[in-house]
Amino acid sequence: MNCHETQRWLPGYLDGELDLVNAVTIEEHMKTCARCSQAYANQQALQAALRGSRLYAPAPVALRKRIETSLRQGDTSARAPWTVRWRWYSITLALACVAILAWGLGRAWVVPAADDRLATEVLNSHVRSLMTDHLTDVVSSDRHTVKPWFAGKLDFSPTVEDLASQGYPLTGGRLDYLDGRPVAALVYQHQRHIINLFSWPAPQASGTPTAIEEHQGYNQIHWTQAGMTYWAISDLNVDELHAFVQLVQHQSGPIPAR
Ligand SMILES: [Zn+2]
């Protein structure tokens, strides 16, 4: 079962409506798929929120009065007692409120934020660099070789540091393309894990704090510092990747070339 099918069946799975074979297949898929298990967690959260009372909004008094008036003006022939009618109006209103809120929450999930789109771009670049045998354009552990290599290829000069003595040797660099512009990709290694460190001038002057995310089994850490945007990505565990990021952050901030 692929992601598309899994997510199509998730509502049924959530409501316990699937047969055992399909339910087990979905559970097996979610064990290895962060995206689908996140979708499942989101739907669980929505279900819990809808069951809670926080979404209940009492109708305003003015609306209540208008409905009472229109009821009195309406047909007075055989109809349910006023209290019963009012109860139905309340239920309909409450359901409408819940539906609108649920629609809004659903939209919030399906419309990706700018950071989400960038996270996907970073993930794709990282995976592509590992798969297409195009990890580095310049192979060197010497920052005095790697840094000048970028000159003339980018409109900024990335900070290049070898972190071999701290356990994260530099293995090279390459040009990449992210967020609609050419960026510097520095490649580091930790044990057998590859780290891609992308950097380019930040579009906004203000710094953003370090954010840690996990996408499809890869950890991503991004931040801005000294006018530059940084994204580090690896299949390293979060602690080791974070240690790497802290080493990078302790370097002096990069200066745009022009
Ligand atoms: Zn999936």
Side-chain angles (χ1 to χ4, degrees), residues 59 63-64 66-68 70-71 82-96:
L63 179 63
R64 187 189 177 110
R66 277 214 305 282
I67 292 172
E68 284 174 20
S70 70
L71 280 174
W82 175 82
T83 47
V84 174
R85 286 219 154 195
W86 172 245
R87 195 159 296 144
W88 276 109
Y89 276 104
S90 307
I91 290 167
T92 310
L93 265 171
L95 283 175

Short mmCIF file of all heavy atoms in Angstrom, two decimals, residues 59 63-64 66-68 70-71 82-96:
data_model
loop_
_atom_site.label_atom_id
_atom_site.label_comp_id
_atom_site.label_asym_id
_atom_site.label_seq_id
_atom_site.Cartn_x
_atom_site.Cartn_y
_atom_site.Cartn_z
N ALA A 59 -25.12 30.26 20.37
CA ALA A 59 -25.63 31.24 19.41
C ALA A 59 -25.81 32.58 20.10
O ALA A 59 -26.19 32.65 21.26
CB ALA A 59 -26.95 30.76 18.85
N LEU A 63 -29.44 36.56 17.51
CA LEU A 63 -29.85 35.53 16.56
C LEU A 63 -30.99 34.71 17.12
O LEU A 63 -31.97 34.39 16.44
CB LEU A 63 -28.64 34.64 16.25
CG LEU A 63 -28.91 33.49 15.26
CD1 LEU A 63 -29.32 34.04 13.91
CD2 LEU A 63 -27.67 32.61 15.11
N ARG A 64 -30.88 34.40 18.38
CA ARG A 64 -31.91 33.62 19.05
C ARG A 64 -33.26 34.35 18.96
O ARG A 64 -34.30 33.75 18.66
CB ARG A 64 -31.50 33.42 20.52
CG ARG A 64 -32.41 32.49 21.30
CD ARG A 64 -32.05 32.53 22.78
NE ARG A 64 -32.96 31.69 23.54
CZ ARG A 64 -32.63 30.55 24.10
NH1 ARG A 64 -31.39 30.13 24.03
NH2 ARG A 64 -33.53 29.84 24.74
N ARG A 66 -34.15 36.63 16.77
CA ARG A 66 -34.64 36.66 15.38
C ARG A 66 -35.32 35.35 15.01
O ARG A 66 -36.36 35.33 14.37
CB ARG A 66 -33.46 36.90 14.42
CG ARG A 66 -33.08 38.37 14.25
CD ARG A 66 -32.59 38.67 12.83
NE ARG A 66 -31.50 37.83 12.37
CZ ARG A 66 -30.22 38.02 12.76
NH1 ARG A 66 -29.91 39.00 13.57
NH2 ARG A 66 -29.28 37.22 12.31
N ILE A 67 -34.72 34.27 15.46
CA ILE A 67 -35.30 32.96 15.12
C ILE A 67 -36.64 32.79 15.84
O ILE A 67 -37.62 32.32 15.25
CB ILE A 67 -34.31 31.84 15.49
CG1 ILE A 67 -33.09 31.93 14.57
CG2 ILE A 67 -34.97 30.48 15.36
CD1 ILE A 67 -31.95 31.01 14.95
N GLU A 68 -36.71 33.25 17.10
CA GLU A 68 -37.97 33.17 17.85
C GLU A 68 -39.07 33.94 17.12
O GLU A 68 -40.19 33.45 16.95
CB GLU A 68 -37.77 33.77 19.25
CG GLU A 68 -37.02 32.86 20.21
CD GLU A 68 -36.72 33.56 21.53
OE1 GLU A 68 -37.40 34.57 21.83
OE2 GLU A 68 -35.81 33.10 22.23
N SER A 70 -39.20 34.84 13.92
CA SER A 70 -39.59 34.24 12.64
C SER A 70 -40.44 32.99 12.87
O SER A 70 -41.32 32.68 12.09
CB SER A 70 -38.36 33.91 11.81
OG SER A 70 -37.66 32.85 12.39
N LEU A 71 -40.18 32.32 13.98
CA LEU A 71 -40.99 31.14 14.29
C LEU A 71 -42.43 31.55 14.59
O LEU A 71 -43.39 30.90 14.17
CB LEU A 71 -40.40 30.40 15.49
CG LEU A 71 -39.20 29.51 15.20
CD1 LEU A 71 -38.64 28.95 16.49
CD2 LEU A 71 -39.62 28.38 14.27
N TRP A 82 -42.23 24.77 20.52
CA TRP A 82 -41.17 25.74 20.24
C TRP A 82 -39.81 25.25 20.77
O TRP A 82 -38.79 25.37 20.11
CB TRP A 82 -41.55 27.07 20.89
CG TRP A 82 -40.45 28.07 20.74
CD1 TRP A 82 -40.21 28.84 19.66
CD2 TRP A 82 -39.44 28.37 21.70
NE1 TRP A 82 -39.11 29.61 19.86
CE2 TRP A 82 -38.61 29.33 21.11
CE3 TRP A 82 -39.15 27.91 22.99
CZ2 TRP A 82 -37.53 29.86 21.78
CZ3 TRP A 82 -38.07 28.43 23.64
CH2 TRP A 82 -37.26 29.40 23.04
N THR A 83 -39.81 24.66 21.98
CA THR A 83 -38.53 24.26 22.57
C THR A 83 -37.83 23.22 21.71
O THR A 83 -36.62 23.24 21.55
CB THR A 83 -38.73 23.69 23.98
OG1 THR A 83 -39.81 22.77 23.93
CG2 THR A 83 -39.03 24.80 24.98
N VAL A 84 -38.65 22.30 21.14
CA VAL A 84 -38.05 21.25 20.30
C VAL A 84 -37.42 21.89 19.07
O VAL A 84 -36.30 21.59 18.69
CB VAL A 84 -39.12 20.21 19.90
CG1 VAL A 84 -38.52 19.22 18.91
CG2 VAL A 84 -39.65 19.51 21.13
N ARG A 85 -38.18 22.82 18.45
CA ARG A 85 -37.67 23.51 17.25
C ARG A 85 -36.37 24.24 17.59
O ARG A 85 -35.41 24.18 16.84
CB ARG A 85 -38.70 24.53 16.76
CG ARG A 85 -39.85 23.85 16.08
CD ARG A 85 -40.27 24.66 14.89
NE ARG A 85 -40.89 23.80 13.93
CZ ARG A 85 -41.11 24.16 12.68
NH1 ARG A 85 -40.73 25.35 12.27
NH2 ARG A 85 -41.67 23.35 11.84
N TRP A 86 -36.41 24.97 18.70
CA TRP A 86 -35.22 25.73 19.09
C TRP A 86 -34.04 24.79 19.25
O TRP A 86 -32.93 25.08 18.84
CB TRP A 86 -35.48 26.51 20.38
CG TRP A 86 -34.21 27.12 20.88
CD1 TRP A 86 -33.57 26.84 22.03
CD2 TRP A 86 -33.41 28.10 20.21
NE1 TRP A 86 -32.42 27.56 22.13
CE2 TRP A 86 -32.30 28.35 21.02
CE3 TRP A 86 -33.53 28.77 19.01
CZ2 TRP A 86 -31.32 29.25 20.66
CZ3 TRP A 86 -32.55 29.67 18.65
CH2 TRP A 86 -31.45 29.90 19.48
N ARG A 87 -34.26 23.63 19.84
CA ARG A 87 -33.17 22.68 20.03
C ARG A 87 -32.56 22.29 18.68
O ARG A 87 -31.37 22.20 18.53
CB ARG A 87 -33.71 21.45 20.77
CG ARG A 87 -32.63 20.57 21.35
CD ARG A 87 -33.15 19.69 22.46
NE ARG A 87 -33.61 20.44 23.61
CZ ARG A 87 -34.65 20.09 24.34
NH1 ARG A 87 -35.35 19.02 24.05
NH2 ARG A 87 -34.99 20.81 25.39
N TRP A 88 -33.43 22.07 17.69
CA TRP A 88 -32.92 21.69 16.37
C TRP A 88 -32.10 22.81 15.75
O TRP A 88 -31.06 22.58 15.16
CB TRP A 88 -34.08 21.30 15.44
CG TRP A 88 -34.46 19.88 15.65
CD1 TRP A 88 -35.60 19.41 16.24
CD2 TRP A 88 -33.69 18.73 15.32
NE1 TRP A 88 -35.59 18.05 16.29
CE2 TRP A 88 -34.43 17.59 15.74
CE3 TRP A 88 -32.44 18.53 14.72
CZ2 TRP A 88 -33.95 16.30 15.57
CZ3 TRP A 88 -31.97 17.24 14.55
CH2 TRP A 88 -32.73 16.14 14.98
N TYR A 89 -32.54 24.06 15.93
CA TYR A 89 -31.77 25.19 15.42
C TYR A 89 -30.39 25.23 16.09
O TYR A 89 -29.37 25.46 15.44
CB TYR A 89 -32.50 26.52 15.65
CG TYR A 89 -33.51 26.82 14.58
CD1 TYR A 89 -34.88 26.66 14.82
CD2 TYR A 89 -33.11 27.28 13.33
CE1 TYR A 89 -35.81 26.92 13.83
CE2 TYR A 89 -34.02 27.55 12.34
CZ TYR A 89 -35.38 27.37 12.59
OH TYR A 89 -36.29 27.64 11.61
N SER A 90 -30.39 25.00 17.40
CA SER A 90 -29.10 25.04 18.13
C SER A 90 -28.16 23.98 17.60
O SER A 90 -26.98 24.23 17.36
CB SER A 90 -29.32 24.78 19.63
OG SER A 90 -30.27 25.65 20.11
N ILE A 91 -28.71 22.77 17.40
CA ILE A 91 -27.86 21.66 16.94
C ILE A 91 -27.31 21.98 15.55
O ILE A 91 -26.11 21.82 15.28
CB ILE A 91 -28.67 20.34 16.92
CG1 ILE A 91 -28.96 19.90 18.37
CG2 ILE A 91 -27.92 19.25 16.17
CD1 ILE A 91 -29.98 18.81 18.49
N THR A 92 -28.20 22.51 14.67
CA THR A 92 -27.76 22.84 13.32
C THR A 92 -26.65 23.88 13.35
O THR A 92 -25.63 23.76 12.66
CB THR A 92 -28.95 23.36 12.49
OG1 THR A 92 -30.02 22.44 12.66
CG2 THR A 92 -28.59 23.47 11.03
N LEU A 93 -26.85 24.90 14.18
CA LEU A 93 -25.84 25.95 14.30
C LEU A 93 -24.52 25.41 14.80
O LEU A 93 -23.45 25.71 14.26
CB LEU A 93 -26.33 27.03 15.27
CG LEU A 93 -27.02 28.23 14.63
CD1 LEU A 93 -27.63 29.08 15.72
CD2 LEU A 93 -26.03 29.04 13.81
N ALA A 94 -24.60 24.58 15.85
CA ALA A 94 -23.37 24.03 16.43
C ALA A 94 -22.64 23.19 15.39
O ALA A 94 -21.42 23.29 15.24
CB ALA A 94 -23.71 23.18 17.65
N LEU A 95 -23.39 22.40 14.62
CA LEU A 95 -22.77 21.56 13.59
C LEU A 95 -22.12 22.41 12.52
O LEU A 95 -21.02 22.12 12.05
CB LEU A 95 -23.81 20.63 12.95
CG LEU A 95 -24.21 19.43 13.80
CD1 LEU A 95 -25.34 18.65 13.14
CD2 LEU A 95 -23.00 18.51 14.03
N ALA A 96 -22.80 23.51 12.16
CA ALA A 96 -22.23 24.40 11.14
C ALA A 96 -20.91 24.99 11.62
O ALA A 96 -19.94 25.05 10.88
CB ALA A 96 -23.22 25.50 10.80
#
